[in-house]
Amino acid sequence: MFLIRELESTEDIVSAFQVMKHLRTHLDEESYIAIVRQAQEKENYRLAAYYDHNGKIVAVVGFMPMITLYYGHYIWVCDLVTSPKERSKGYGEQLLSYVHDWAKANGYEKVALSSGLQREDAHRFYEEKMKYDKVSYVFLKNV
């Protein structure tokens, strides 16, 4: 039996760091907590974890509602990561399905995300397994 649960308390957020750090390697625990808390407060960021049958967090997803002229009202998946030893077991699929269900239940018709150019396995997962369309490139400039 598995469980997907939103993480709201600081203790829960901290417990997800051991998985999140595999994706967000530039963050230490303190900065991770501060950013999650600020994003929850200001951007309605939501963090959910997949717990295995032993009650251990093995995958995490962070997402938030957004509004743009391009997509209208939609959900942006900010973070999706599975612990390296637990990959290819369907946890990412379960978490994205959770986000899709959350989106539908809350009146959103679209879910979007970006993925690093080097993450070819993730791209296959999004396109082939989850049926996402590749619709754009994301550009970034540090200022």
Side-chain angles (χ1 to χ4, degrees):
M1 184 69 186
F2 71 90
L3 169 71
I4 294 175
R5 184 170 66 82
E6 277 202 47
L7 307 178
E8 296 176 5
S9 74
T10 300
E11 181 181 335
D12 287 342
I13 293 165
V14 169
S15 69
F17 181 69
Q18 294 306 312
V19 175
M20 185 66 81
K21 71 180 181 180
H22 295 288
L23 180 65
R24 304 297 176 220
T25 57
H26 63 287
L27 296 175
D28 60 27
E29 187 175 292
E30 185 178 325
S31 57
Y32 156 78
I33 295 165
I35 291 170
V36 169
R37 282 301 194 199
Q38 185 178 21
Q40 286 176 324
E41 180 183 315
K42 296 182 184 276
E43 303 291 340
N44 200 19
Y45 177 82
R46 310 180 86 77
L47 188 63
Y50 185 108
Y51 293 81
D52 69 7
H53 62 280
N54 294 317
K56 179 183 173 188
I57 294 176
V58 293
V60 180
V61 66
F63 63 98
M64 60 187 182
M66 295 188 72
I67 304 168
T68 65
L69 295 174
Y70 184 63
Y71 291 135
H73 292 79
Y74 68 102
I75 301 301
W76 180 256
V77 177
C78 309
D79 314 288
L80 177 63
V81 60
T82 299
S83 193
K85 294 180 181 178
E86 303 293 340
R87 292 190 178 144
S88 299
K89 295 181 180 179
Y91 303 144
E93 180 179 2
Q94 292 287 332
L95 281 175
L96 271 184
S97 294
Y98 172 85
V99 173
H100 298 164
D101 293 343
W102 190 96
K104 289 177 195 172
N106 289 278
Y108 296 90
E109 297 178 356
K110 294 179 180 76
V111 175
L113 55 86
S114 70
S115 180
L117 295 172
Q118 75 285 4
R119 299 188 69 221
E120 293 178 7
D121 290 340
H123 303 165
R124 273 193 299 282
F125 167 72
Y126 296 131
E127 291 179 290
E128 296 172 14
K129 182 92 172 171
M130 300 307 295
K131 306 300 182 202
Y132 277 67
D133 296 320
K134 190 185 302 181
V135 296
S136 67
Y137 287 99
V138 175
F139 295 91
L140 174 68
K141 180 172 181 71
N142 292 320
V143 293

